[in-house]
Amino acid sequence: MTTDPSDPAVAAFVAAVNAGDKDAFFAALTEDATMSDDGTARDLAAWAEREIFSSNGRMDVEDVSADGRTLTAMYTNDTWGGMRTRWAFTVTDGRVSHFETGQA
């Protein structure tokens, strides 16, 4: 396993999160992208603002699947501290169309 996502869309997503770059984050997503957190569908824009941008979210990737679309990361933000998380991405036309996250 590697810690660098091989899928370019997933790599762009991780880089945008770690840079706190909203424009790059939303550019990595399809316009109709969806997400879920611990199995519950969430409003993606509201979730991202709360869990990433206003709380200084960061993903320290620990391992990545062979296809580059599933990863385990230590996710840290100012609200929750650090937790080991699993992320699974669906990529459509080179952009993330859905992602699921939750505790690993």
Side-chain angles (χ1 to χ4, degrees):
M1 290 255 172
T2 179
T3 59
D4 296 320
S6 58
D7 186 286
V10 175
F13 179 100
V14 172
V17 168
N18 288 340
D21 186 335
K22 286 183 192 182
D23 292 335
F25 177 81
F26 287 105
L29 304 174
T30 62
E31 289 185 25
D32 60 347
T34 59
M35 60 89 54
S36 64
D37 185 357
D38 284 326
T40 302
R42 305 285 184 187
D43 176 283
L44 193 153
W47 182 92
E49 182 59 35
R50 182 180 61 253
E51 300 292 337
I52 300 170
F53 301 112
S54 68
S55 62
N56 300 308
R58 176 156 180 83
M59 300 172 73
D60 292 315
V61 178
E62 296 176 349
D63 60 63
V64 180
S65 64
D67 69 0
R69 293 186 177 176
T70 303
L71 55 88
T72 304
M74 178 59 72
Y75 188 78
T76 306
N77 69 22
D78 294 346
T79 303
W80 304 109
M83 68 183 82
R84 194 163 189 256
T85 55
R86 179 183 179 277
W87 299 75
F89 297 88
T90 302
V91 176
T92 304
D93 296 329
R95 293 166 65 196
V96 174
S97 57
H98 180 79
F99 68 92
E100 299 175 23
T101 187
Q103 292 189 35

